[in-house]
Amino acid sequence: MSSNTMQINFVLNHEKVQAVIETHHTVLDVLRNTFSLYGARESCGQGLCGCCTVIVDGKSVSGCLYLAAALDGCTVQTVESLDAGGSLHPIQQAFIDCGAFQCGFCTSGFLLMSKQLLESNPDPSEAEIRNHLSGNLCRCAAYPEIIQAVRLAASRINTAQQEA
Ligand code: FES
Ligand code: FES
């Protein structure tokens, strides 16, 4: 291992993994090039659009800027974890049902941020949804449908919990 490489060990979508990385590699580099996870995407490359969002130890980070070296010992969640078990997460289904995307380039970031919101606030107001998703940009301007989808997902999750 050269002086600018290191091994990192972390939990990725519920599995313990390890990778040898270069110290300048970003999270996005490692997810895409080492683990073939392509859901998080690079758009602005400057931490401004949310297309590269991943969740690290429960907090959303910009995968285009966050250094992979900082993942050592962390728990990482990407959009690929949402349909674990073969069925869509209620947030994914709501995005489909509401037509909350056009090109879909921004969608993985919106899905992860929406899931994070509903885990901490199961019944958010429209203002709370807008505020939580304010760091995510959609060039196709599907914002009304995205808000609608988050509200639909919240309602379905809450109904399912009441019936359980
Ligand atoms: S690509 Fe990372 S924030 Fe835009
Ligand atoms: S659906 Fe195209 S950028 Fe959001």
Side-chain angles (χ1 to χ4, degrees):
M1 212 176 301
S2 69
S3 60
N4 61 344
T5 62
M6 64 180 284
Q7 178 174 310
I8 54 173
N9 299 279
F10 60 105
V11 176
L12 175 59
N13 296 337
H14 310 299
E15 278 184 36
K16 286 184 182 176
V17 297
Q18 61 180 38
V20 175
I21 61 157
E22 306 244 340
T23 49
H24 67 276
H25 281 160
T26 64
V27 169
L28 210 50
D29 292 329
V30 172
L31 289 177
R32 297 177 73 87
N33 300 332
T34 303
F35 294 101
S36 301
L37 294 176
Y38 301 110
R41 303 184 175 103
E42 180 160 337
S43 180
C44 70
Q46 298 179 351
L48 300 173
C49 74
C51 287
C52 61
T53 300
V54 298
I55 306 295
V56 177
D57 285 348
K59 294 189 180 147
S60 56
V61 306
S62 294
C64 68
L65 296 181
Y66 203 85
L67 287 176
L71 295 183
D72 194 38
C74 293
T75 297
V76 180
Q77 187 182 21
T78 71
V79 72
E80 284 84 357
S81 69
L82 292 192
D83 64 350
S87 53
L88 293 179
H89 189 282
I91 295 171
Q92 291 174 304
Q93 190 61 55
F95 268 61
I96 291 171
D97 294 342
C98 294
F101 49 82
Q102 290 182 42
C103 74
F105 204 83
C106 67
T107 306
S108 62
F110 275 102
L111 289 170
L112 280 175
M113 291 300 288
S114 301
K115 178 171 179 286
Q116 185 192 48
L117 171 64
L118 296 186
E119 284 171 353
S120 62
N121 181 355
D123 189 20
S125 66
E126 180 171 334
E128 287 170 330
I129 297 169
R130 286 183 183 278
N131 183 50
H132 193 79
L133 300 181
S134 61
N136 291 70
L137 303 182
C138 174
R139 288 169 194 264
C140 300
Y143 297 111
E145 292 82 6
I146 290 169
I147 306 285
Q148 202 183 350
V150 178
R151 297 191 71 129
L152 178 61
S155 152
R156 286 175 173 171
I157 292 169
N158 291 334
T159 301
Q161 283 173 349
Q162 283 163 11
E163 290 173 353

